[in-house]
Amino acid sequence: MPSLRDTQAAFSAAIRSEDARSIAGLVVAGGIAPEERIQIYRNNHRIGALDVMQATYPVILRLGGSEWFCQSVLRYQQRHPSRSGDLQFFGEEYPSFLRADLAGTLHAYFHDVATLEWAYQLVLTAEECGPVDLGVLKAVDPDDYERLRFVPRPALRLVESPFPIFAIWHANQPSLNSPAERPGAEVCPAEIRLDAGASRVLLIRRRDHVELRELSRANSLLLRQFEAGAPLGAAAEAMASEDGDFDLPSCLRELLGLEAIAAILLDDGPVTVGTAGDHR
Amino acid sequence: MTDVPFIERAAPAGPIPAIAGIGLRTAHQEQIARERPAAGWLEVHSENYFADGGMQIERLLDVRCDYPVSLHGVGLSLGSTDPLDPEHVRRLKRLVARSEPAFISEHLSWGSVHDTHLNDLLPLPLTEEALAHMVAKVHRLQDELGRQILIENISSYLEFSHSQIAEWDFIAALGEEAGCGLLVDVNNVYVSACNHGFDARHYLSALPRHLVRELHLAGHSRNRHGDREILIDTHSAPVCEAVWDLYEFALECFGPLPTLIEWDAELPSLEVLLAEAGKANRRLEQVRAIAA
């Protein structure tokens, strides 16, 4: 009698391939060929992956079309099998898969769009923390400003690309006025030139939705400094060396106005904390 | 990762009464939160609420103030020879702390081997080895959670020739030896009985009444294979008359029990879902009236 582990390994191999020979001999036919019975589970396995990926990457689905997307996801599933009983992680490697799969093709930009869509998922499910109460800055001695550290909210991501991914993402959102538009429909959006310029997209979670907006180069550079944990003085120096016209107060005011900051620390200790949570 | 602040609850964290509940599906979340319809209780797929934050978990905790909740997991793969996934257990424990569920349930199935997850509810060979393995893993999970879980029978589309134990005896033994409760999915019993040629009523009659704590009802589909038919547990249709009949028999076997209407795909309106729950409630009331 095969062991439980050997039975499960054989069944798994049969589901993940087109070859059911590893398990067919262990299956009661009961009037239906074992291969047909195993095909039911094989179909479930593939449909489950497609359902999750359609929900996670709807713009890639629209850009590539249903047939291409299906084949792409099934290849991805073979190369990056699920490592968790929780499918929310399944699509994590898809952007890097696309980068390798589409390198050197006209669709190389799919990697950047997929990166944006994965960032959307991360922002959707991130811990809630902040935004910080700016009133506490009044208590800070101006001589200490350069030591302040601004901690971005966990429910925030910055995605940068040489391609116009913000415009591409927006053009491929389903229209509330066009119920005929469905994921997978080969809709032609307004023409967007891939050489239209770089895109720096801020994704930030609001009360009941994820907001996407483009950031200026200066704001994105400052946000990256904050993400790296740089105190304000060091961040300003780094910014000045990148851009001689950098306006720190203006950029900082914009990021605070976007409610992008969860906490403000003085050296390693809190000047204040956000409404909940850990701070870096 | 931080703890979510305690939310004062209007709905008790105690047992769910013997009434019908519905699944809290994403498409219905906003409407349920806004209208607070007369649903007895709500069941969710645990994994859908594992996020650190965001609207999904916020909505669950919001409606939890008014409804008892049951957590129904699909991803722990208790029948797998791989060990319990510690991260998965940690997230489940956090969700339990956040939502104070009346029930926590999983399946008599497996879904992973050699760290590769198939994310499905796959049938076990019903052997002594598999029983011992399931008992040990259920014990381990209950120790981690500090409470009893329920194990649900699945629909299956194949049987293993080296199985040694009938499924009804297997799941009964699991309940007795592991100290878990049973969640009997009446539709799954019907589907498996049709697919494998056993008597669904015999299955239900063989289960120890004291172990059964919850019932599920769902719809299924029929697939033709030559001159044979396989029923598929799609959760995409109303409960059929044959399953309602079997449910009435289950109530005779087990008495009135919390009953969930499981409708996960091709989702109907909330009103249709509540109407299905109403059908279960009428049958529960009839059983209580007879017993009175």
Side-chain angles (χ1 to χ4, degrees):
Chain A
M1 179 192 302
S3 70
L4 179 59
R5 192 160 180 81
D6 286 347
T7 303
Q8 291 177 345
F11 200 160
S12 175
I15 287 173
R16 297 194 67 241
S17 70
E18 295 295 333
D19 186 354
R21 281 177 295 177
S22 59
I23 195 70
L26 298 178
V27 172
V28 175
I32 297 174
E35 167 58 46
E36 290 186 57
R37 294 182 179 275
I38 293 158
Q39 187 62 38
I40 293 171
Y41 292 101
R42 201 178 276 132
N43 290 344
N44 283 353
H45 181 53
R46 292 167 183 173
I47 290 167
L50 281 166
D51 284 349
V52 166
M53 295 293 274
Q54 283 174 0
T56 306
Y57 294 102
V59 175
I60 294 294
L61 168 59
R62 288 166 68 96
L63 290 172
S66 298
E67 197 176 324
W68 172 86
F69 187 75
C70 177
Q71 295 305 315
S72 175
V73 167
L74 294 182
R75 286 201 311 279
Y76 172 73
Q77 188 181 38
Q78 282 297 311
R79 218 170 296 172
H80 297 273
S82 172
R83 298 297 185 194
S84 172
D86 178 3
L87 272 169
Q88 73 166 317
F89 303 110
F90 178 61
E92 185 173 17
E93 302 299 328
Y94 192 55
S96 57
F97 168 83
L98 288 178
R99 177 169 50 201
D101 206 47
L102 298 174
T105 73
L106 290 175
H107 301 104
Y109 72 98
F110 278 19
H111 158 262
D112 293 41
V113 175
T115 300
L116 182 65
E117 294 202 277
W118 185 248
Y120 189 104
Q121 295 301 315
L122 295 176
V123 170
L124 199 60
T125 57
E127 178 185 4
E128 189 53 79
C129 189
V132 66
D133 176 4
L134 298 179
V136 298
L137 284 174
K138 296 174 189 170
V140 178
D141 188 320
D143 288 341
D144 292 333
Y145 282 174
E146 66 178 18
R147 291 157 52 208
L148 289 173
R149 288 202 293 122
F150 292 78
V151 182
R153 285 175 56 201
L156 172 158
R157 288 291 185 283
L158 175 63
V159 178
E160 297 170 282
S161 170
F163 299 110
I165 57 174
F166 181 71
I168 293 170
W169 186 87
H170 260 290
N172 284 282
Q173 294 307 298
S175 164
L176 293 176
N177 296 319
S178 303
E181 289 188 12
R182 293 285 179 265
E186 295 196 4
V187 175
C188 296
E191 185 179 297
I192 298 170
R193 293 180 59 87
L194 290 176
D195 61 358
S199 199
R200 289 166 289 272
V201 185
L202 176 70
L203 299 94
I204 184 165
R205 192 170 74 213
R206 301 300 182 198
R207 175 88 183 90
D208 60 358
H209 68 284
V210 174
E211 178 185 308
L212 279 75
R213 61 168 57 222
E214 287 202 280
L215 282 190
S216 66
R217 182 170 178 271
N219 282 344
S220 64
L221 287 173
L222 184 59
L223 185 56
R224 288 293 189 215
Q225 288 291 315
F226 290 160
E227 284 179 338
L232 192 59
E237 283 178 22
M239 297 298 301
S241 67
E242 289 266 356
D243 180 354
D245 294 330
F246 172 59
D247 181 347
L248 176 63
S250 174
C251 285
L252 184 57
R253 199 176 305 120
E254 284 183 48
L255 289 182
L256 291 170
L258 288 172
E259 298 184 330
I261 302 300
I264 302 172
L265 309 181
L266 183 62
D267 297 326
D268 291 327
V271 172
T272 184
V273 293
T275 52
D278 271 338
H279 312 301
R280 280 167 280 161
Chain B
M1 216 167 290
T2 59
D3 292 327
V4 174
F6 174 77
I7 296 173
E8 191 170 329
R9 307 209 182 281
I16 292 174
I19 53 178
I22 60 173
L24 177 64
R25 297 292 162 250
T26 302
H28 295 148
Q29 272 184 352
E30 201 179 324
Q31 186 179 1
I32 290 173
R34 188 174 64 248
E35 298 176 7
R36 298 301 211 249
W41 50 286
L42 303 173
E43 188 162 279
V44 300
H45 285 165
S46 312
E47 290 79 10
N48 289 349
Y49 294 87
F50 277 4
D52 296 332
M55 293 165 276
Q56 180 98 328
I57 183 68
E58 274 186 30
R59 283 183 182 149
L60 172 64
L61 299 181
D62 175 38
V63 299
R64 175 65 187 88
C65 292
D66 291 315
Y67 298 95
V69 154
S70 168
L71 299 182
H72 189 53
V74 296
L76 259 176
S77 192
L78 291 177
S80 168
T81 51
D82 286 353
L84 282 178
D85 179 345
E87 176 60 17
H88 198 120
V89 173
R90 187 192 64 77
R91 287 181 183 263
L92 178 59
K93 287 168 74 171
R94 183 177 64 167
L95 180 59
V96 170
R98 282 172 157 178
S99 64
E100 295 184 323
F103 292 140
I104 304 169
S105 53
E106 255 288 354
H107 294 83
L108 178 67
S109 68
W110 66 283
S112 63
V113 65
H114 296 302
D115 201 35
T116 293
H117 285 256
L118 300 159
N119 300 106
D120 198 356
L121 305 174
L122 303 176
L124 284 161
L126 301 175
T127 62
E128 295 292 344
E129 181 197 1
L131 176 59
H133 179 75
M134 276 289 304
V135 168
K137 280 189 88 172
V138 169
H139 266 306
R140 210 163 301 134
L141 180 60
Q142 291 181 145
D143 286 345
E144 284 278 357
L145 296 175
R147 58 185 284 176
Q148 186 191 60
I149 66 168
L150 309 183
I151 294 294
E152 180 188 352
N153 58 297
I154 62 169
S155 284
S156 66
Y157 316 116
L158 63 80
E159 291 181 306
F160 291 98
S161 54
H162 60 294
S163 286
Q164 299 166 306
I165 310 170
E167 184 179 313
W168 46 90
D169 290 332
F170 189 104
I171 202 168
L174 175 63
E176 298 285 11
E177 294 177 36
C180 62
L182 301 184
L183 189 174
V184 176
D185 189 307
V186 178
N187 177 66
N188 287 350
V189 173
Y190 179 78
V191 165
S192 293
C194 291
N195 288 344
H196 306 309
F198 61 77
D199 183 336
R201 290 187 172 214
H202 177 78
Y203 187 124
L204 295 175
S205 301
L207 299 178
R209 181 179 173 126
H210 68 277
L211 291 179
V212 183
R213 305 285 308 284
E214 182 187 343
L215 302 174
H216 274 187
L217 290 169
H220 56 261
S221 304
R222 294 172 179 267
N223 284 15
R224 290 223 63 89
H225 292 262
D227 60 353
R228 296 290 302 270
E229 202 174 53
I230 285 188
L231 272 59
I232 305 292
D233 180 34
T234 51
H235 292 185
S236 61
V239 178
C240 73
E241 279 311 307
V243 174
W244 281 121
D245 288 344
L246 194 60
Y247 175 61
E248 289 171 8
F249 182 76
L251 294 180
E252 289 175 25
C253 292
F254 311 125
L257 285 172
T259 302
L260 182 83
I261 302 296
E262 259 194 323
W263 198 332
D264 304 326
E266 294 176 38
L267 210 54
S269 68
L270 181 60
E271 289 70 28
V272 168
L273 197 54
L274 290 168
E276 282 284 271
K279 294 178 188 175
N281 274 331
R282 281 192 286 284
R283 286 162 169 86
L284 286 162
E285 284 157 19
Q286 283 167 3
V287 169
R288 275 190 285 266
I290 291 169

